[in-house]
Each structure stands twice: as C-alpha cells, then as structure tokens.
Amino acid sequence: MRPWTIPETDHWPGELFPAEVARMRERLMWSLAAKVGADGAVRDACRSRTLESVLALRLLERTGHDARAAEALRGYLRTQVPAAGVERALLAAALEGKGIAAGDLLVGQVTAAAPGFTAVRKRALVHALAVMADETFVPEWDEAAFDRSGLHSWAVVQVMAAKVILACASGRVGCVGDEDVRLLLDTQCRPHVWEGNVLIHLSVLHALSRLPGTGAVVADGVRRMLVHQRCDGGLPFVSDTDTWCTATAGVALAAAGAPREVLERVAGHLVRCQQPAGGWSFTDVACQTDVDDTSVAVQFLHLVDEERYREAIEGGLRSLVAVAGPDGGFPTYVAGAPSEACMTAAVVDALSVRPAAHRSLIAGGLRYLAGRQRSDGSFPPDWSSSRLHTVFRALLACARPGDRPAPRVRRMAEQARRLVLGQQNADGGWGQQAGEPSDVISTAYGLIAVCGQADPAPAVAAVRFLAAAQGELGLRQVRPDSIGPRPFVFTVPVLADIFTVLALGHLDGRTTPVQARSGGRLAGAR
C-alpha cells in the first residue's frame, strides 16, 4: 500500500490540480494524526450490525438472560432496513416472528460473493444462522461442510459451532463428538470475547445452549458478549479492527508527510502487537495472524526506519513466506489453505521491500495474480465489497522496482488499468461495482490506481469528487466496504479517513519529488 515509486521526470505538474488539494490533504492528515493515541494505536470500535444483533436477541430470549439488554437490541433492530437476503430474513424472524423458508436466505448470493472454495461452509453457516433466528427452520445437513482441513482457528470454531447447531436442529446430535464440544468450551475460558470476534462468540453460545450442562458457561458468555453492546443497543461483528486501522493509518500518514514523532509512535505500537512467530492480527486481542495485516505492518515499518525495525520486518517477512502456496499465491491465514488474489498482491507488495531475497516468490505471486484475473480486468471476491480493492493492490504489486515484469504480468496490469479508467463515474468517483454511485472509499482505491498511469485527468476528476465529499462534520458519501465473514459488510468509520489520506498521499508522490517532502520521511519508499 505504500506509495508508488515514480521517476521525477514523470511527475505531474501540481498546477493541474485544484488549489485546495494540498490544504485538503494537510487537514485530513492532521485529523487522522490526532486519532493516534498516546500508545500509538488508531482505535475505532466496530459499529453495530443486524446479523449479530438478531443472534444476540434470540439468544437472550431463548435463555431468559437480561431482559433490558434484549429490549435495547429490539430497539436497534427496529431501525434497521437491510437489503434482501439473509439479514432481512433473520430480522423478520426476530421482530415479526416470521418463519424462514430456505428460499428467503438467497444462499446463492452469499456463495457467489465469496471465494468458491468457501461455498460448502458458507451454505452451512447460512443455515445455522437461520436456525439461530428461527427454531422451526429445518436445515440441510452436509458432512463435507464440517471438514477442518486447511482452516484457520476462527473458521474451525465457526464450523464446529454450525455443526452443533445444525445437528441439534436436524436430529443428528449423535454426530457431535466430545472433541467438537471441547473446542467450543475452550473459547469460553477467556476474560474477554474470544479473538474479539462477537459473531463467533454468539455462534458458540447458541451451540452450547443446545447441549446439557452448559447453563453456567452460557450465562458467563452472555455477560462477556454484552460488554460489546453499543450505545444504539446493537452488537458489532468484532470488537474492533485496531491493529488493521493502525497499520493502514501508519502507511497513510507516512505517505501524507506526517511528523516523524507520530509515525514512530505508531511503529512502536505495531512492534508491541507483533505475534511471536512474526505476524500480526486485525486486533490487539487476537492471536490468529493474517497476511493482510502482516503485509501492511511490514511496509509501514520499512517506510519509517528500515534499520531500527529490521528485526520486526524480518519476522513479518518470515511469517509471510511460511504460508506461500505451491501455486505461487498466498492464502489469508494459514499454510495449506487456498491462495487468494488480493492476499497475494498484498504479500508481493510486502516482499518487495527485500526484492533480492524474494525474487522467485515475487515472480510466482505475480504469475498467480495474472492467472486469477478475470476477462474484464477484475479479480475474484476478497475482503472488500469494492472490486477496485484487489485491483489497486495488484497494480501496486506489479509496479515495484526490480526485474522487468513478464509479458503476462504487464498485460494483467494493463487490463486492470482499463477496468479502473473505464468505470470512473461522471462525477469523478468510483462505486463499489460497475454502475453504482460513487463513494469515498472506492474512489480512494481508484485514485491510488490511476496515480500509476500517465494521464493525470482521471486523478484530477477523482480529487474533485473527494473535495466535494468533505463536510463540516467529516466525509460524506461514505459506503463501508469491509466484509466479514464474507460477504457480510461491517463498519469501522475511521477507515474512510485512512484510505482518503492514503490516496492523497499517493497523489502527492506523483506531483512532488519524494525528497521534497517534509523531513524526507519517505526515504524507505525510494
């Protein structure tokens, strides 16, 4: 995600852009810098969501716990109008007592919006959600959905919770083994919600509440769950994504020329959050690492001070290399899981801080990306509902200094650029998908992408859209794009600020020589 490396001879003349661009970047940069806490973290709680709020309400109703919290949940849910599909069916079941029919769940939409290798598990998850919301729902049973092979720790627990729920609902309790239950019970031996994942915590409580002798465990789990009930009465997907916000904000602030003291504070926090094996997770309270957080943390530390943070950088790189797939790609979490295009782009970008040491892995990753690109220039679903997310990261991965890319990789980059340029809206912004209204985060992704091509006109138009989205109370036209589990969208507001600052920092790198920026703070990007 760190800025493009652009030769001085290719810089765009600054006068092509509206005069307020520099002031906008400076204002947003200082606003984001003010969100960096004394400990170096950028913290912003995940907002309430229909999915978890329905599950929490039904759990409280079934177990008889905390009537006041249940009423607050109902109040929140009465304000929600989710799109058609799973969440709408769950909401109707919780508030109106409507039974859920299999056709109401639109399972095909869920599986189509997530990577193909997750389809069987996603179907089981959706059916488990339906059972949690509607005790009369009769689910399907597919033993293949409970295979743990290649799964990371969160997925294993989610799969086992779904197995218990579906087994109890379909008269197959005999299929639930002691090891399945022990795995779920182990997640309740923590002082906080396990791994900060409220959805998984709720799924586990729903599963355990269907088994004998678990009343005390469930009651204690409910108390931990309600710690995360928001002021609006709802519950979020996860407690927060503070490590992800901190790492991405760090890169954005570095790109925008933030004071070195701020960058070093962020770096110190990330070093303290690094897991023993070298990787990073999405939040300070989780142990399961992922290549996305790790890739961005590595890039940021390299930007700030390559020598000072050498040990942390090397640990992060080892963590990434350890999960490389035989196909040249990289999975999100663990070795042996299927590779994914967006995660591969992220890792290639990070490995390029040490290009000589990782030449073959970088080349293999780029080949994998080229092989996964669709005919329209896009890539398979990732962890964002915006199709430009993987596109801009793939373009960054292709553009790092090093060996000249293979013809296939150059064609991939050209196809990706055509996609971005062809889908810019008349207002200068981009929507999450083709033909959708422009939003701030997708436009930030698009601006980063077009900063790597020759014509400045698309960037000029994008900046005008972002300038128009600046309101007195913050950014307007913000549409959240983070998803988890795929394809359910969740909201962490600070991410809109982060990616806008990041995009404007990329633009600054295209119009201002790196050496001319305040204090030469981006020396690591050269």
Side-chain angles (χ1 to χ4, degrees):
M1 284 191 185
R2 66 198 194 284
W4 296 88
T5 303
I6 303 292
E8 278 190 51
T9 53
D10 290 339
H11 285 146
W12 291 331
E15 57 268 23
L16 293 175
F17 293 85
E20 66 266 24
V21 171
R23 292 192 297 272
M24 178 172 66
R25 187 190 72 249
E26 192 81 359
R27 183 175 66 254
L28 291 173
M29 182 271 287
W30 282 110
S31 176
L32 182 57
K35 292 180 170 68
V36 177
D39 64 350
V42 176
R43 302 192 184 280
D44 191 21
C46 183
R47 298 305 190 255
S48 299
R49 189 167 70 171
T50 299
L51 177 57
E52 289 73 20
S53 300
V54 166
L55 301 187
L57 175 59
R58 299 298 290 131
L59 178 68
L60 294 179
E61 290 174 341
R62 285 183 58 249
T63 60
H65 291 294
D66 208 321
R68 181 176 296 181
E71 187 52 40
L73 284 160
R74 289 189 197 96
Y76 166 75
L77 290 170
R78 291 187 192 108
T79 68
Q80 302 305 296
V81 187
V86 178
E87 289 184 292
R88 175 164 286 187
L90 298 181
L91 183 63
L95 291 185
E96 303 168 26
K98 291 181 65 175
I100 298 176
D104 298 334
L105 299 172
L106 302 180
V107 176
Q109 286 186 359
V110 175
T111 56
F117 63 84
T118 69
V120 175
R121 283 191 284 123
K122 291 295 179 189
R123 189 172 190 87
L125 171 62
V126 171
H127 278 240
L129 295 173
V131 171
M132 287 185 255
D134 174 14
E135 293 291 315
T136 68
F137 181 79
V138 180
E140 294 178 0
W141 178 268
D142 185 349
E143 193 69 35
F146 314 121
D147 182 5
R148 304 183 193 183
S149 304
L151 298 185
H152 58 285
S153 61
W154 303 333
V156 169
V157 173
Q158 185 71 74
V159 161
M160 289 304 103
K163 178 181 179 180
V164 172
I165 291 166
L166 296 177
C168 292
S170 60
R172 293 179 170 84
V173 180
C175 295
V176 176
D178 290 343
E179 179 63 18
D180 301 331
V181 179
R182 184 199 63 77
L183 182 72
L184 300 183
L185 288 170
D186 281 351
T187 67
Q188 301 304 299
C189 301
R190 306 291 195 281
H192 50 74
V193 166
W194 183 72
E195 294 286 280
N197 195 311
V198 178
L199 174 59
I200 292 179
H201 184 74
L202 281 162
S203 300
V204 170
L205 295 181
H206 269 278
L208 292 175
S209 69
R210 287 166 164 77
L211 301 175
T214 60
V217 174
V218 171
D220 194 42
V222 166
R223 286 192 290 272
R224 288 197 301 278
M225 170 195 82
L226 291 178
V227 168
H228 299 286
Q229 189 166 27
R230 304 308 193 210
C231 293
D232 60 9
L235 279 173
F237 161 47
V238 290
S239 59
D240 60 80
T241 59
D242 288 350
T243 307
W244 172 246
C245 290
T246 302
T248 51
V251 176
L253 289 167
R260 185 165 190 83
E261 180 275 328
V262 174
L263 302 182
E264 289 184 344
R265 213 181 331 144
V266 172
H269 178 74
L270 287 174
V271 169
R272 291 190 295 274
C273 287
Q274 190 172 23
Q275 297 292 325
W280 279 267
S281 186
F282 76 99
T283 176
D284 307 355
V285 300
C287 295
Q288 175 63 63
T289 61
D290 62 85
V291 304
D292 209 1
D293 287 274
T294 302
S295 295
V296 179
V298 163
Q299 291 181 66
F300 172 66
L301 294 175
H302 183 266
L303 278 173
V304 177
D305 195 323
E306 181 180 2
E307 290 304 319
R308 180 176 179 181
Y309 301 112
R310 179 174 294 276
E311 184 177 349
I313 292 168
E314 295 300 334
L317 292 172
R318 285 195 300 273
S319 174
L320 296 174
V321 170
V323 301
D327 55 4
F330 291 80
T332 302
Y333 297 106
V334 295
S339 298
E340 300 189 48
C342 187
M343 297 301 94
T344 300
V347 174
V348 168
D349 208 5
L351 295 179
S352 67
V353 306
R354 298 276 192 276
H358 303 107
R359 183 168 283 111
S360 63
L361 286 172
I362 291 171
L366 291 174
R367 284 195 301 271
Y368 172 84
L369 275 173
R372 295 294 288 158
Q373 189 177 37
R374 293 167 167 173
S375 58
D376 66 353
S378 67
F379 295 88
D382 60 42
W383 294 99
S384 164
S385 52
S386 176
R387 71 191 319 199
L388 296 187
H389 182 243
T390 298
V391 170
F392 95 80
R393 299 184 77 171
L395 285 170
L396 288 177
C398 293
R400 298 307 179 192
D403 296 339
R404 180 173 172 78
R408 189 180 184 188
V409 174
R410 293 200 299 273
R411 287 194 298 272
M412 174 188 71
E414 185 54 39
Q415 279 186 289
R417 288 190 197 97
R418 282 200 298 269
L419 170 69
V420 176
L421 295 172
Q423 292 192 356
Q424 189 170 23
N425 292 330
D427 59 9
W430 284 267
Q432 290 188 353
Q433 300 295 325
E436 294 185 350
S438 300
D439 68 88
V440 164
I441 296 177
S442 295
T443 300
Y445 298 160
L447 177 54
I448 294 171
V450 299
C451 280
Q453 50 89 49
D455 182 9
V460 172
V463 165
R464 287 182 176 141
F465 172 83
L466 291 175
Q470 309 299 306
E472 290 183 9
L473 300 178
L475 291 167
R476 300 186 297 260
Q477 294 174 271
V478 173
R479 183 182 177 190
D481 77 311
S482 302
I483 54 179
R486 294 181 280 200
F488 300 104
V489 178
F490 66 94
T491 303
V492 179
V494 75
L495 290 172
D497 300 310
I498 289 170
F499 282 104
T500 302
V501 173
L502 178 63
L504 294 173
H506 274 261
L507 177 64
D508 191 40
R510 190 65 202 264
T511 57
T512 307
V514 172
Q515 296 90 331
R517 297 188 209 178
S518 178
R521 282 184 284 270
L522 288 184
R526 292 201 290 273

